[in-house]
Amino acid sequence: MRADARKNREHLLAVAGTAITEQGVDVSLRDIARRADVGLATLLRHFPTREALLDTLLRTKLDELTANAGALETFSSPVDALVSWLRDCVAWTTEYQGAIVLMAAAIEDTESALHASCVTVRAAGARLLTRAQAAGMARTDMDGADLFALVMALSWVGDQRSLAPRADHLFNIVASAILTSAPSNAAEEERDPRTHG
Amino acid sequence: MRADARKNREHLLAVAGTAITEQGVDVSLRDIARRADVGLATLLRHFPTREALLDTLLRTKLDELTANAGALETFSSPVDALVSWLRDCVAWTTEYQGAIVLMAAAIEDTESALHASCVTVRAAGARLLTRAQAAGMARTDMDGADLFALVMALSWVGDQRSLAPRADHLFNIVASAILTSAPSNAAEEERDPRTHG
DNA sequence: ACCTGAACACCGTTCAAGT
DNA sequence: ACCTGAACACCGTTCAAGT
């Protein structure tokens, strides 16, 4: 890439990050180009779609979450690792208002530039969930896709101005539903076999 | 209202209902006007904003939910009433894709035409929750606003194509988190109140 | 290679002119 | 009273022309 092109690209990313933090992911691309002092067509040359731009901005954070999951898996108890990772996931989304909807769409759209990063995050969460389940500390009737959907839903609550004040409390309620109150043993299984599957 | 105006209004509502069912709440207003064979300005004369149009379409359904809550309060057990009402709330939103976001915004925007209907629905849910709490069947650390936010979140999951397959399962998980496992009647609880409704 | 103004087909809003 | 075409200021997309 030519030096001037690279400079444009990096400047556009910085300006876009600011604009999206301020106005959410639906901010006008024309505005971003104006604020970056380039033509709109230049922005679209570097990032052919809004999602391509978002992908570049979000990928760093998503990969951070994936890496963080690995560290937690190594150094924390199954429950602590799962819960604090989930909390991180929900927390960071407040920075880019509306990003959650793009992520939810990307997880099953293999054409999406965000697809790979979303799948990786989901897999990281699934590993933490499996670990907690193996320790008898998490309900066994859910999988990584369920966990991902719950994280998306809680993040969406944090994204809605009117619901956001309840987000923390609802997180705790949902977290308590994921965790089992007693460690694994026959009696626990017996207590309610119907909720499996 | 003049007869021709009333006819236009009703025809617009019918066409808008169809269009929104097909394409979601972000469907072009110009398209609706075209399909109704009136000028766009005529649509905007009857419904000055998109939200005003949505309000008229959604109000019927929201008031139905409120009325249904009253009936359940009278004729069903606290747990059955709460769970089956919640299920109804989450289920109907699938008809108008995207409506959930408008409702979430309206609940705290007193300027919104949807505001009153949303507040009424939230109050109806709060009554059912209070009743279940009084019977010792629901956790006491949440209120109507928490319940409303949970319903919104679960509805949003049903709204996202990639997450929708998990919606039913997540509903059951969240419902089980709202209900307390320690009942006044141990035998009833053993039967599994979570799957009612 | 890379940039960009201009044309394009959309959108919701407004309003003067028509019946 | 009610309707509406037309003008307006936006949007994202595309591309021929410039450096």
Side-chain angles (χ1 to χ4, degrees):
Chain A
M1 190 181 303
R2 233 166 57 179
D4 58 340
R6 172 172 303 277
K7 197 179 153 191
N8 268 340
R9 196 188 131 92
E10 277 164 20
H11 185 48
L12 275 166
L13 278 175
V15 170
T18 306
I20 291 171
T21 300
E22 288 170 7
Q23 307 186 41
V25 297
D26 289 331
V27 64
S28 154
L29 297 181
R30 249 193 185 83
D31 260 12
I32 294 176
R34 261 194 292 266
R35 288 167 66 163
D37 265 316
V38 301
L40 169 60
T42 301
L43 187 158
L44 292 169
R45 157 173 262 274
H46 287 288
F47 308 102
T49 65
R50 179 186 299 278
E51 204 183 35
L53 176 60
L54 259 296
D55 172 47
T56 309
L57 287 169
L58 297 185
R59 193 187 298 258
T60 309
K61 195 68 196 180
L62 291 173
D63 292 349
E64 238 176 81
L65 285 171
T66 303
N68 196 26
L72 287 164
E73 203 173 348
T74 310
F75 297 116
S76 292
S77 77
V79 167
D80 285 354
L82 179 59
V83 172
S84 79
W85 187 79
L86 292 176
R87 207 180 294 276
D88 285 354
C89 282
V90 174
W92 85 269
T93 56
T94 59
E95 188 166 354
Y96 288 164
Q97 199 194 359
I100 254 4
V101 176
L102 292 174
M103 282 183 63
I107 190 69
E108 283 215 335
D109 176 12
T110 53
E111 303 299 306
S112 160
L114 270 176
H115 181 68
S117 299
C118 287
V119 169
T120 310
V121 167
R122 183 177 61 186
R127 277 195 302 275
L128 290 173
L129 176 63
T130 301
R131 184 161 164 261
Q133 286 167 334
M137 307 294 281
R139 61 193 300 155
T140 53
D141 66 342
M142 56 183 291
D143 62 11
D146 295 318
L147 189 69
F148 184 80
L150 279 178
V151 167
M152 294 287 104
L154 289 169
S155 299
W156 178 83
V157 168
D159 233 23
Q160 306 303 115
R161 198 175 295 278
S162 66
L163 309 180
R166 307 290 168 159
D168 271 352
H169 188 210
L170 297 185
F171 177 90
N172 290 327
I173 291 176
V174 170
S176 76
I178 295 173
L179 301 177
T180 50
S181 47
S184 180
N185 54 46
E188 170 69 14
E189 279 306 296
E190 192 72 17
R191 196 178 63 79
D192 194 356
R194 266 154 301 189
T195 60
H196 290 207
Chain B
M1 190 183 303
R2 233 165 60 180
D4 57 340
R6 173 172 302 277
K7 195 179 155 192
N8 268 340
R9 195 188 132 93
E10 278 165 17
H11 186 48
L12 275 167
L13 278 174
V15 169
T18 306
I20 291 171
T21 300
E22 288 170 5
Q23 306 187 44
V25 297
D26 290 330
V27 63
S28 154
L29 297 182
R30 248 191 185 85
D31 260 11
I32 295 176
R34 260 195 292 265
R35 287 167 66 164
D37 265 316
V38 300
L40 169 60
T42 302
L43 187 158
L44 292 170
R45 157 172 264 274
H46 287 287
F47 308 101
T49 64
R50 180 186 298 277
E51 206 183 33
L53 176 60
L54 258 297
D55 172 48
T56 309
L57 287 169
L58 297 184
R59 193 188 298 259
T60 309
K61 196 68 197 181
L62 292 173
D63 292 349
E64 239 176 79
L65 285 171
T66 304
N68 196 25
L72 286 165
E73 204 173 348
T74 310
F75 296 118
S76 292
S77 76
V79 167
D80 284 354
L82 179 60
V83 173
S84 79
W85 186 78
L86 291 177
R87 207 179 294 276
D88 284 354
C89 283
V90 174
W92 86 267
T93 57
T94 59
E95 190 166 352
Y96 289 162
Q97 200 194 359
I100 252 10
V101 176
L102 292 174
M103 282 184 62
I107 191 69
E108 282 215 334
D109 175 12
T110 53
E111 303 299 305
S112 161
L114 270 176
H115 181 68
S117 299
C118 286
V119 169
T120 310
V121 167
R122 183 178 60 186
R127 279 195 300 277
L128 290 174
L129 177 62
T130 301
R131 184 162 165 260
Q133 286 167 334
M137 306 293 282
R139 61 194 300 154
T140 53
D141 66 343
M142 55 183 291
D143 61 11
D146 295 317
L147 189 69
F148 184 79
L150 278 179
V151 167
M152 294 288 104
L154 289 168
S155 299
W156 178 82
V157 168
D159 233 23
Q160 307 302 115
R161 196 175 295 279
S162 67
L163 310 180
R166 307 289 168 157
D168 271 352
H169 188 210
L170 297 186
F171 178 90
N172 290 328
I173 291 176
V174 170
S176 76
I178 294 173
L179 301 177
T180 52
S181 49
S184 36
N185 180 339
E188 169 69 12
E189 174 64 11
E190 209 153 330
R191 205 163 60 77
D192 196 355
R194 267 160 290 192
T195 60
H196 290 203

